Structures are given as C-alpha cells and as structure tokens.
Amino acid sequence: MLLSARTLGILCLLLMTAAGARASAPAGIPRELARQRAAQISGVRYHLKFRLTPHADAAAGTEELTFALRTPQPLLLDFRDGTISTLSVNGVAIEPRIENGHVELPTGQLRTGQNTVHAQFTVHVAPAGKPITRYEDHDDNSEYIYTLFVPMDASMAFPCFDQPDLKGRFQLELIAPANWTVISNTAPETESDETSEQRRTVFHETLPISTYLFAFAAGPFRRLNESPEMPGLYVRASRFEQAQREAPEVQEIAAEGIRYLSGYFAQPFPFPKYDMVLIPELAYGGMEHAGATFLREQSVLFRTAPTHTDRLNRDILVLHELTHQWFGDLVTMRWFDDLWLKEGFAQYMAYQTLASLKPDESVWKRFYESIKPAAYEIDSTEGTTPIYQDIPNLADAKSAYGAIVYSKAPAVLKQLAFVLGPENFRNGLRLYLKGHAYSNAEWSDLVRAFEQVSGRSLDRWADMWIRHRGMPQVDVEWSCDGASLRRLTLSQHDVLGGSDTWPIASQVLLAEPDGQPLRLRVELDKSSAAVADAVGKPCPPFVFANDQDFAYGRFLLDPASRAAVMSRLGDVHDLFLRTLLWGSVWDSVRQADLGPRDYIGLAQRLLPAETDPSLTASILSHTATALHRYVYARTRTELAPAFERMAADRMLQDRDQDLRITWFRALGNLAETPPGLARLEALLNGRLSVPGVELRPLDRWRLVTALIALGDPYAQEIFEAERARDPGGDGPEYAYAAEAARPDAASKGKYFEDYLHNASRPEDWIAQSLGAFNYWNQSDLTKPYLKTALEELPEIKRNRKIFFLMSWLGAFIDGQRSPEAQAEVHQYLRTATIDPDLRLKILQVVDELDRTVKIRNKYAP
C-alpha cells in the first residue's frame, strides 16, 4: 500500500533500524504519532507530586506514570520547557534526553502489559508565558499559583502523553505553605504537616480525564458558602468581601444548572465534586477542568457598575463551563479538529439551560445579540474556515479557537434543533453521552446519534454546515396583487462568491399593518424556491426571512421591506423581532447597501424611546462604529454632539438603572467635544453622578483613558489623582492601560517596545492596553507600528495564550481607517512567508478595514 510522506516520517521516527540508528523526534504532537500511541497505550495513571515555593521561578516535581503497552516499541513521552534530573523505566535508569519536546522510552526497557516510569523534574513558574502561572496580589502582597494546560501545555508541566484521547487517572500531591488553600480536580484525601510551615495535601485519584483537563490552584484562597448543597467557590482573600456580596448568585446558578443538565442529559453530574475557582487575570473567560472550573475573576466580580445584562452574561459563562463537565470532560473530542464538539455545544447548551431556568429573560434574543454578529462577521471574510478544521499537529491547535467555534457552531446547532425538533435533539445528546462516557468521540458519532433517534439522514446537513466554510445570503423577492401576496420567493447564494448551497430551515415573517404577523416555516435546500403557502395572504408592509433567528446566514431586508422597517421600526413592539430588524439594517450598512449616515439618523430618532438596555447598547455600539470608522471627521464632528447630549440626558434622567448605566458607558465612548469631556471630568471629580450608580474602578479608569486619548488639558492631572486614589489591586494595570492612550509618538514607541521585549509584563496587562494604544482617533500615530505588529505574529502565536493573537491583530488593524493602511496589510499578505493559519487570521481581521475603506469611498461627504 502507499503511505503519505507524513506517515512515513512518523514511522521512521518510531521504528529503529536493525543497526540501532535514531531518528529525530517530531516537533509538537503530530496526529499520526497520537494515533499510533492511542492504538498501543491504555490504562494510563499519573501520580504527581509538586513542591510549591512562594516567589520561586520553578517548581520541583516527581512522577510515577503507569500504563499498559500492547507491544514493546520505542515510545515518545511528551515533555518540553522543563528539565528532568532522573528517569527510569520499569526500574532501569535511562538518560533523560529531551528532543523537540519529547523523551524517548527505548524498546529494551519496555514490555508488553504494565509499564512504570519514574521521573524527577523541574518546571517553570512565571507571571506570563508558562502553564504554571504566578499571580501577585498588590492588595495584600499575597501570591497565587495556578495551572492552565489547554491545548497541549500539560507537557510543559510534567512528562505525559499529551493528547486528548489518552485519558488518564491522576493522583496529585501538593506541598505548599501551610496557610495556603489548594484545589484540584478531586477533593483532598489526606492532609498532613510536612514541616511547621508547609502542608502536604494528597487528592483522591480522578476518573479518566484528558491531560489538558488536569489542574490545580494554590494560594490563600477563601471558600464562600460551605453548604454541601452548593458547588464550592474559591476567591483570593483580598476579594472575599466583594465575593460575599456578588458571587452567591454564581453558586446558585451553577447548582440549578447541575440539576437541569443532569435531567436533560439523563446523566448525573459526572465527577465526584464541583468547585469553581476565581482566577485573577486568567487568559480565558473560564477553563472547564474536570471537577474544578477556573473562572476569570474579572468576569464574576465586576470591575464596572453591572447591568442586568452583565449578570446574565455571567450566568452564561458559568453554565458554559458547567456544561463542559459533560461535553468536553465526560466525553472528550478525540482530536482538536473537533473542538466545536465541546465549545459549540457548551455555548448552545448554556443558553438552552438559561432559557429554561429563567424563561422571562428573552434568552434567545440575547443569544442573537451575543453570538450571531461575531459569527457572521468572520464567516463573510476570505479568512473564514469550516467548523471542522484539520489540525495536523497539536502545536497548531490554537488556530481552531475563535468565533467559528464559539459563535457559528452554537448558531448552527440552534438551527439543527429547529430541524430535528427539541425531543429528537435532546435524545440524540443523551445517546451520544451514554455511548462515549469517560471516553472520546468524533463529530460523526454525534451526527449518527441524531440520525438514530430522528430517523433522518443528516449527511448533507453535516457536510455543508460542519465541513464547508462560509455561509449563505438569503434574499427575498415578493410582490402583491392588490391586497394579496401574489408571489414570495427565497433564494440563496454563497457570500464568498462560490457555488455552494446550504440546507436551510427558517421561519419567514409576513408583517401586517394591523393584527398579528403571519409566520411560515420554510426549508430551502437549493438555490431558490417559491413559498407556496404565502400566496394569497394579506399583502405585508415588509417580509423578514429569519424570524426568531432559527437559521444561520445573512438575511438582508429587500429594499421595499427595509424602507418600511426604517419608517415603522419604533412601532415594532415584539422585542426579539425589533432586535433582529435593527441587526438586519446594520448588516446593510456593513454591506455598503445603506449609508452609515442613514443608520446614525435612525438611531438618533429612535434611541430616545428605546426601553431595552441590551438593544440600546447594541445600537449605540454600532453608532459609535459608524461615527468613528465609517464617516469622515467632518461628518462625525457634525453628528457626534447630539449623541453626547442624548447620553448625558439619559444617563441622568432615565428611570431604569440599567439604561442609566448603558448611557453612561456610551458617554465615555462617544464624548469628544469640550462640553462632553467636561462631563467626563465632572463624573470623576464628583460634581456629576449617575443616580443610584456607584462608579467602580474600571468605570473611572475608562473615563481617564478617554480624556488622555482625546488630549484633554486636565488629563495628566486627573490621571495622577486617579493613580493616587487607586494604588493597589488592579489600579496599576488600569493605569498602565490608560497611559497607552497618550497621543504622542514617544509614548507609543515606549509601549510598543514594552509589548515586544518586556518578558515580565503580564499578558493580561498588554491585552487590556491594546485598545487604548490604538484609540479610534490615533490612526496616524499607530500606523508606523502596523507592519512590525504583523511581523511579530509568528512569535506571538508561539508564545502567547490562545486568544491574544486575535486581540493583537484586531487592535492594530482595526485601529486604521485609510487606504494606505489597507494597502500595507495586503502587501504583507502578498509578500510575507507565513503559515496558512496566520494568513487566514489576517484575512479575517482586515475584512473590516476593507469594508471601512469601501464604505467611506462610497458615502464620502
């Protein structure tokens, strides 16, 4: 038979020649190596011991690794970034030679059946860039240490088989200061004093989990609410009082979620206990370690005055990570090309769960607002990818993370639930989880489960929605004969210009001048189809082809419908429909089918009467984009003062506190005139306040940042006063971010140098400051850094956490407006030697700059 070149390379690595020659170990973890190991290895157990020393830049560890081997052969153990002092295989000492992140276990010391590896090793602990992270709390000078191993960073912390389909049972021992609390995947089994100042904690052995789901956290954490009926919640000591006020809701929603999901999945909670640990400056919103979810502290304990929407978004985060205990931890994708199996389902089921627990919260309207725009924006670019992504090496797994997995996948699953019906959808999930518990699965396993319970073939659905990139645009053509509809036709085309057609299930709304609108279920599996059920119905003022947001795709209003919607949008009382129509109007702006000035005018006319805070926030965000990106300075100067005044008015006078907070945030984002900046100053010095709202530190620092960026004459004095007011806690980080907005070349140069060359600068500080560095009014100052920012992408991809790359790209490219910047990015794409994933990421982000230039050219004043 014929073998691929890649397969041959792996076989050459794994097999010794008769002469005993060695082959080089591969970089990363190639898929072929993972498959070979998964076929040979089973029954993996890790017994790990770590000694954690305060303020140390390393941790010492020992390991006993046992596993069963089908046949003796050279075997690679993954370990990178640390050092091994001693290593033995089945009692025989071997040289701990590390090559390309692997240690070879030679055939001569391995045997069929049970094998045991012992190792003593040392690994790095650092504020950034390492999977064992140290955080120093400036409030009380305490220290916290935590792990973060996704997707393949466990092998930076201990020798292991670092692939998701070699699940193992972990038993952990931690030696740490006696006054520290230690948390891991399981509860402590024993605790004993190691010395007068150190305590040894031995945790119960875990059920089978993947290496990236093993974790521990240590430090002077305090636990909230010791009730055994509640999941554990741990917070650093300096935030305990705030957590007592704000975090009990987190425990309550998690407890309710456990009860709901256990019933929905017909599968009890899969692990012996469930804790949540609030981690300051965690690189992600949360990480679903089995039995011990880590949540980003800033996402739970609010740094700004929170709205009800903020609290519901926190509920979604908690439920997302909770759902992972089933989707991701109990059943884990075999390889990271199926990342969507855990992330897409966790996101969809978080909303499904919240909709059941809080049925009055317009959850699916919030799903649209939070999920769909990010998915559509990426999926309409040349940089988009299929939901299923080919990952040849786990070193490339970071490329799978992004809006396609986190936003498109759950949106597509919502459509599948509409296609199958809620009962078949639920039963398919139950069958899938039952069949693969404590094991691994692929996307085809889930599709087969849905087919089995529904009796419906999903091959075409899965092929188009999971394996094809892009999305359809669905267009509507209709005409009336007097008072009755004569015809209604739906057609679709690929937004990227290809010839693909998708199987689409949607609900079409026919508006009526009086009375209830008419809703028709429609399935479209070809380029166009007539909607026969619509013929003869009353002639509608407008037609919308994605009512209730069941379908996925771009649904623009036809010209007649758009004109009707814009004239009567303020009279649409159905909040979900009103939200969808506002979204479609904005999509027309982004497509350059509607002038940004028209959208701004519509917002100015209708916002004073809008009563929903999250829809208000969405309209204001789009208005800010139109003012700061899509129109020229002269037009912005003409239009912005009206929104400043509106924001100041509503901030002070609105009866709804959430709306007051929403308009306060808008004022900070939109103010640029001297009267507007004076209001920001007054909010900071106390001469002006938002009724019933106490500004929190980040609220204040955002106002300071705006004053610095806009060159307010009192900005430096205000900055110094705020820094003195907030010297501890997160104050230094916020001050660092604020100063990045200084509108002078020297400051930009200093910050850019710090970004690239200060290894001790926490990654979270940089990420927080990128928006200020690239403030909307500073394109000329930041354009000189655009090329270098692009050239740094390979280094950033190698050494930064998963989402940092897109934050970096988005800040530097979205900070630009000009054709010259657009040309520079495209010149880089034409001439640079970069990997395909980085090329796609740049294409995703530059699409907004391309649109900006196109819109500005078409609608120039």
Side-chain angles (χ1 to χ4, degrees):
M1 65 180 174
L2 295 175
L3 298 178
S4 70
R6 185 184 296 155
T7 302
L8 285 170
I10 298 300
L11 290 176
C12 290
L13 158 74
L14 296 171
L15 301 177
M16 295 295 180
T17 65
R22 302 177 66 100
S24 294
I29 302 174
R31 186 196 304 263
E32 288 80 0
L33 170 62
R35 285 173 175 165
Q36 188 273 341
R37 293 195 302 199
Q40 290 290 326
I41 298 169
S42 61
V44 181
R45 274 186 155 89
Y46 299 92
H47 189 160
L48 290 162
K49 302 178 184 179
F50 288 94
R51 183 179 294 274
L52 304 179
T53 303
H55 310 295
D57 60 4
T62 64
E63 174 182 41
E64 179 183 271
L65 164 63
T66 62
F67 57 92
L69 190 61
R70 179 172 294 180
T71 56
Q73 59 179 277
L75 191 62
L76 294 182
L77 192 61
D78 309 321
F79 187 60
R80 55 197 175 98
D81 200 52
T83 58
I84 299 177
S85 55
T86 65
L87 182 67
S88 67
V89 181
N90 294 323
V92 178
I94 66 171
E95 178 188 358
R97 182 171 178 267
I98 302 173
E99 182 182 358
N100 276 342
H102 302 283
V103 180
E104 185 179 301
L105 307 180
T107 307
Q109 274 68 56
L110 294 169
R111 57 193 178 214
T112 299
Q114 194 77 352
N115 291 265
T116 301
V117 176
H118 285 95
Q120 292 183 313
F121 57 90
T122 302
V123 293
H124 296 288
V125 180
K130 301 298 177 185
I132 301 181
T133 301
R134 180 176 65 248
Y135 173 82
E136 296 185 2
D137 188 340
H138 296 290
D139 279 335
D140 59 9
N141 296 316
S142 59
E143 180 181 9
Y144 296 84
I145 292 174
Y146 64 92
T147 61
L148 194 60
F149 294 155
V150 65
M152 55 166 283
D153 286 351
S155 55
M156 295 177 71
F158 58 94
C160 59
F161 301 116
D162 204 2
Q163 59 190 73
D165 60 344
L166 274 178
K167 289 190 169 185
R169 295 176 183 266
F170 290 81
Q171 185 164 43
L172 172 66
E173 295 185 36
L174 286 181
I175 300 171
N179 64 336
W180 282 13
T181 299
V182 291
I183 308 108
S184 188
N185 304 88
T186 54
E189 180 178 346
T190 63
E191 293 181 303
S192 58
D193 290 338
E194 182 78 2
T195 67
S196 61
E197 296 182 348
Q198 292 184 315
R199 179 179 295 116
R200 177 190 299 270
T201 304
V202 180
F203 293 88
H204 286 281
E205 187 179 61
T206 70
L207 292 163
I209 59 174
S210 299
T211 48
Y212 78 91
L213 295 171
F214 166 68
F216 61 82
F221 287 103
R222 296 184 64 181
R223 177 170 175 159
L224 274 77
N225 194 344
E226 298 284 350
S227 168
E229 298 179 358
M230 288 287 183
L233 183 63
Y234 293 85
V235 63
R236 56 180 162 136
S238 64
R239 289 288 186 267
F240 183 72
E241 290 186 9
Q242 183 183 1
Q244 282 185 308
R245 295 191 303 271
E246 298 182 3
E249 298 172 13
V250 171
Q251 290 176 290
E252 291 164 9
I253 196 69
E256 292 175 14
I258 288 172
R259 289 190 289 270
Y260 174 81
L261 290 168
S262 296
Y264 185 89
F265 292 141
Q267 165 69 55
F269 186 79
F271 301 101
K273 61 94 175 173
Y274 189 58
D275 289 327
M276 296 171 286
V277 187
L278 305 190
I279 302 291
E281 297 184 2
L282 186 70
Y284 320 131
M287 181 58 210
E288 69 275 11
H289 310 114
T293 282
F294 292 177
L295 297 171
R296 182 176 171 86
E297 183 188 273
Q298 292 90 325
S299 300
V300 175
L301 305 180
F302 297 113
R303 301 300 194 263
T304 62
T307 64
H308 186 60
T309 294
D310 295 327
R311 293 186 175 92
L312 290 174
N313 288 339
R314 182 176 65 181
D315 288 345
I316 290 296
L317 170 63
V318 171
L319 294 172
H320 174 108
E321 303 304 336
L322 175 63
T323 302
H324 273 312
Q325 302 296 308
W326 288 268
F327 263 91
D329 298 4
L330 174 67
V331 181
T332 309
M333 72 274 165
R334 192 172 304 282
W335 193 247
F336 271 83
D337 47 17
D338 273 328
L339 178 66
W340 75 279
L341 271 182
K342 72 183 189 77
E343 296 301 344
F345 265 95
Q347 194 74 325
Y348 174 79
M349 285 305 305
Y351 282 91
Q352 167 67 35
T353 304
L354 190 62
S356 297
L357 297 179
K358 298 184 177 182
D360 298 329
E361 291 292 357
S362 302
V363 170
W364 294 112
K365 172 253 188 188
R366 297 177 187 279
F367 178 92
Y368 166 78
E369 290 174 318
S370 300
I371 296 294
K372 288 297 191 69
Y376 292 159
E377 286 179 14
I378 297 297
D379 230 7
S380 60
T381 75
E382 290 295 338
T384 193
T385 65
I387 289 176
Y388 176 91
Q389 296 186 47
D390 183 42
I391 306 294
N393 191 309
L394 282 189
D396 305 319
K398 290 180 181 179
S399 66
Y401 288 80
I404 294 301
V405 161
Y406 285 88
S407 297
K408 179 177 181 177
V412 166
L413 290 170
K414 184 185 179 188
Q415 178 169 239
L416 179 61
F418 182 62
V419 169
L420 296 178
E423 186 173 339
N424 283 334
F425 187 80
R426 181 200 63 201
N427 290 342
L429 299 183
R430 289 178 172 182
L431 183 63
Y432 169 80
L433 290 171
K434 182 178 180 181
H436 302 280
Y438 303 105
S439 185
N440 299 85
E442 299 175 348
W443 72 278
S444 56
D445 297 313
L446 182 60
V447 171
R448 298 290 86 82
F450 283 134
E451 289 182 328
Q452 186 173 336
V453 299
S454 69
R456 177 170 181 162
S457 173
L458 293 173
D459 285 345
R460 172 158 161 73
W461 182 93
D463 179 61
M464 287 307 303
W465 288 112
I466 307 302
R467 285 195 169 273
H468 278 67
R469 73 177 196 147
M471 64 179 182
Q473 175 172 312
V474 177
D475 297 313
V476 181
E477 293 184 8
W478 57 282
S479 62
C480 292
D481 185 2
S484 300
L485 257 176
R486 181 163 58 89
R487 66 180 182 88
L488 173 62
T489 301
L490 300 184
S491 61
Q492 64 163 298
H493 67 269
D494 184 348
V495 299
L496 300 177
S499 58
D500 287 333
T501 57
W502 283 260
I504 301 168
S506 182
Q507 184 167 277
V508 175
L509 178 137
L510 308 179
E512 290 192 22
D514 302 303
Q516 293 298 314
L518 181 64
R519 293 175 162 95
L520 303 173
R521 180 184 175 118
V522 177
E523 295 201 11
L524 178 64
D525 197 12
K526 52 187 178 180
S527 59
S528 66
V531 183
D533 290 346
V535 175
K537 298 297 189 291
C539 184
F542 66 86
V543 176
F544 183 57
N546 193 23
D547 180 56
Q548 299 296 302
D549 190 39
F550 291 119
Y552 181 87
R554 183 190 293 153
F555 290 84
L556 299 180
L557 293 159
D558 65 272
S561 291
R562 189 173 68 217
V565 163
M566 292 180 71
S567 69
R568 64 181 67 209
L569 189 51
D571 298 322
V572 176
H573 301 298
D574 182 324
L575 175 59
F576 194 0
L577 177 59
R578 190 164 76 248
T579 301
L580 292 169
L581 293 174
W582 269 107
S584 185
V585 172
W586 177 248
D587 287 341
S588 293
V589 175
R590 296 190 73 251
Q591 287 301 107
D593 290 340
L594 179 70
R597 192 168 184 142
D598 295 318
Y599 185 92
I600 294 168
L602 186 67
Q604 185 176 349
R605 178 167 62 88
L606 297 183
L607 270 173
E610 182 53 61
T611 58
D612 181 71
S614 64
L615 178 55
T616 298
S618 173
I619 298 168
L620 284 167
S621 175
H622 293 155
T623 300
T625 298
L627 287 169
H628 295 161
R629 295 190 63 83
Y630 295 163
V631 301
Y632 284 89
R634 186 175 68 189
T635 304
R636 189 191 72 248
T637 302
E638 172 193 340
L639 299 175
F643 285 94
E644 285 185 8
R645 292 190 295 271
M646 192 189 306
D649 245 12
R650 296 289 298 276
M651 174 186 78
L652 298 175
Q653 299 178 17
D654 206 288
R655 288 180 296 177
D656 183 280
Q657 177 167 301
D658 280 6
L659 279 169
R660 293 198 297 274
I661 295 172
T662 299
W663 283 101
F664 157 74
R665 293 175 181 175
L667 179 64
N669 195 26
L670 293 169
E672 59 176 280
T673 68
L677 298 183
R679 291 187 181 99
L680 303 190
E681 294 171 8
L683 285 163
L684 286 167
N685 63 30
R687 289 185 290 107
L688 185 66
S689 62
V690 183
V693 177
E694 180 182 355
L695 300 189
R696 299 194 181 189
L698 188 52
D699 291 314
R700 298 181 60 85
W701 278 110
R702 285 176 175 169
L703 300 183
V704 174
T705 301
L707 291 171
I708 291 173
L710 295 164
D712 183 83
Y714 301 104
Q716 183 59 34
E717 177 184 333
I718 291 169
F719 170 81
E720 296 295 348
E722 196 63 29
R723 185 160 59 178
R725 187 179 187 274
D726 191 15
D730 298 317
E733 177 183 351
Y734 298 153
Y736 176 84
E739 284 198 288
R742 291 196 184 282
D744 64 81
S747 292
K748 299 302 182 189
K750 182 185 75 173
Y751 265 78
F752 198 74
E753 179 72 14
D754 190 67
Y755 292 161
L756 298 186
H757 303 299
N758 185 354
S760 66
R761 180 69 64 194
E763 187 173 289
D764 190 65
W765 287 37
I766 299 174
Q768 291 289 334
S769 73
L770 289 174
F773 184 94
N774 292 280
Y775 211 80
W776 65 263
N777 68 331
Q778 296 178 13
S779 297
D780 291 343
L781 280 170
T782 57
K783 184 177 177 296
Y785 301 98
L786 179 59
K787 183 179 178 183
T788 307
L790 294 170
E791 292 170 344
E792 287 295 320
L793 292 175
E795 184 73 13
I796 288 170
K797 182 178 178 180
R798 277 191 298 271
N799 297 314
R800 296 291 184 179
K801 296 296 184 184
I802 288 169
F803 298 111
F804 184 88
L805 175 70
M806 291 302 284
S807 297
W808 178 271
L809 259 179
F812 281 96
I813 295 181
D814 283 354
Q816 300 302 311
R817 314 284 184 269
S818 68
E820 293 76 19
Q822 178 193 32
E824 189 166 325
V825 177
H826 285 282
Q827 173 69 10
Y828 180 79
L829 283 167
R830 285 191 299 272
T831 59
T833 303
I834 52 175
D835 69 54
D837 171 59
L838 283 178
R839 184 172 299 278
L840 290 173
K841 293 289 193 292
I842 297 170
L843 285 169
Q844 288 176 16
V845 177
V846 77
D847 181 81
E848 176 62 19
L849 178 55
D850 293 338
R851 290 176 188 274
T852 297
V853 172
K854 179 179 179 180
I855 292 168
R856 287 163 74 96
N857 285 342
K858 182 172 180 178
Y859 296 102

